[in-house]
Amino acid sequence: MKLYELVGKDKTQGFSPYVWRARMALAHKGLDVEMVPLTFTEIPSIASGQFKTVPILEHDGDFISDSWAIACYLENTFPDRPSLFGGESGQAYANFFNFTSFYNLLVPLFQSLVYDIFEGLDEKDRDYFRKSREARLGKSLEEAHENQDKSLTTFQKQLWPYNATLKTQAFLSGANPAYVDYIMYGLFQWAKGVSPLVLLTADDPLYDWRQRMDQLYNGLGQVIKTKS
Ligand SMILES: N[C@@H](CCC(=O)N[C@@H](CS)C(=O)NCC(=O)O)C(=O)O
């Protein structure tokens, strides 16, 4: 089994939030995977160019792309291993969280990280990244960077429901971590891999949660080093 991931100059620091969801999901299922690092402009070299984004999972000759599709594939293909969703209603909720977290969390975090991501990229990806992301942002990377604090505050303001939830339960999925936690954790792994920005304070319940997430699966998430 192979998981294609996204890297910049440092090939050991896979930073995609979506790949982290898939990586944690594979670990949750107890499946060994070979990580294959790609830069942005290398993604079309996989599976005859049929996919534009990572993660891409290769298993038994099949290619599955999209983090949500990969999670559902793992759940269906390995039903006897620990469940990612805890049943149908858990899966429906995780699907909902997958969408809501996009606008509430991922977009403002993207706006605050975008310039730092650019700076960490392999030289050959920079033109592609600048062009595609400036079109998406409707402004230059430098302008986005000037607003970094504002975007970060927007992101932080959206965290209250998760902080509140973690006052009454250990993980977002309940007593034990599962896919909703991996969606959230992917965002923090992304930020950690590309930027020195501090997202949480020690009194945020998410801070303690993140430390516990870092310990899972033999400290898998700790492969990402804090930027300085
Ligand atoms: N909905 C997709 C989104 C994946 C995605 O946007 N991945 C980004 C990396 S974080 C990517 O591969 N982008 C390639 C590009 O923009 O060229 C998923 O959940 O897997």
Side-chain angles (χ1 to χ4, degrees):
M1 206 179 268
K2 287 185 185 175
L3 185 66
Y4 294 89
E5 65 166 338
L6 184 63
V7 295
K9 278 185 277 209
D10 186 340
K11 309 294 176 233
T12 70
Q13 300 290 286
F15 61 81
S16 161
Y18 297 105
V19 172
W20 269 102
R21 298 172 190 190
R23 201 167 176 182
M24 296 298 284
L26 284 156
H28 181 105
K29 289 276 180 194
L31 296 165
D32 285 333
V33 67
E34 178 192 342
M35 298 301 295
V36 185
L38 300 173
T39 66
F40 276 105
T41 50
E42 287 169 350
I43 296 173
S45 68
I46 303 307
S48 315
Q50 48 180 315
F51 307 121
K52 291 190 166 51
T53 60
V54 289
I56 302 165
L57 181 73
E58 185 178 347
H59 180 228
D60 278 350
D62 288 329
F63 289 91
I64 304 104
S65 104
D66 187 87
S67 56
W68 178 252
I70 291 171
C72 295
Y73 173 83
L74 294 176
E75 191 74 344
N76 292 337
T77 311
F78 302 99
D80 298 335
R81 292 178 178 244
S83 172
L84 288 166
F85 305 121
E88 199 185 322
S89 57
Q91 182 159 357
Y93 176 71
N95 188 23
F96 169 72
F97 185 68
N98 199 37
F99 285 113
T100 55
S101 63
F102 179 79
Y103 281 108
N104 293 343
L105 300 171
L106 193 140
V107 168
L109 190 57
F110 166 71
Q111 290 174 344
S112 55
L113 298 178
V114 67
Y115 191 79
D116 293 334
I117 298 171
F118 174 74
E119 290 218 300
L121 290 181
D122 194 292
E123 206 59 49
K124 66 179 195 290
D125 274 359
R126 287 182 161 217
D127 285 349
Y128 164 74
F129 187 84
R130 178 180 283 283
K131 223 171 168 182
S132 57
R133 269 46 182 187
E134 288 187 344
R136 195 178 290 177
L137 290 159
K139 60 176 98 140
S140 71
L141 298 181
E142 287 73 13
E143 281 171 277
H145 193 52
E146 279 165 27
N147 286 324
Q148 186 177 50
D149 288 348
K150 209 168 143 217
S151 306
L152 179 63
T153 303
T154 305
F155 170 77
Q156 287 168 325
K157 279 191 180 150
Q158 305 288 358
L159 294 178
W160 72 266
Y162 314 104
N163 277 317
T165 301
L166 292 170
K167 283 184 186 158
T168 59
Q169 59 193 58
F171 294 95
L172 297 174
S173 305
N176 296 298
Y179 197 69
V180 167
D181 293 274
Y182 307 145
I183 294 177
M184 182 66 99
Y185 187 61
L187 297 173
F188 288 100
Q189 288 294 88
W190 183 29
K192 188 180 176 193
V194 300
S195 171
L197 269 188
V198 177
L199 306 186
L200 298 169
T201 56
D203 57 353
D204 285 326
L206 276 164
Y207 185 94
D208 180 66
W209 165 88
R210 184 188 193 176
Q211 287 189 323
R212 285 181 282 116
M213 294 296 292
D214 280 340
Q215 303 303 320
L216 295 177
Y217 315 123
N218 298 318
L220 176 62
Q222 294 176 50
V223 68
I224 299 299
K225 302 294 169 217
T226 305
K227 284 258 166 184
S228 53

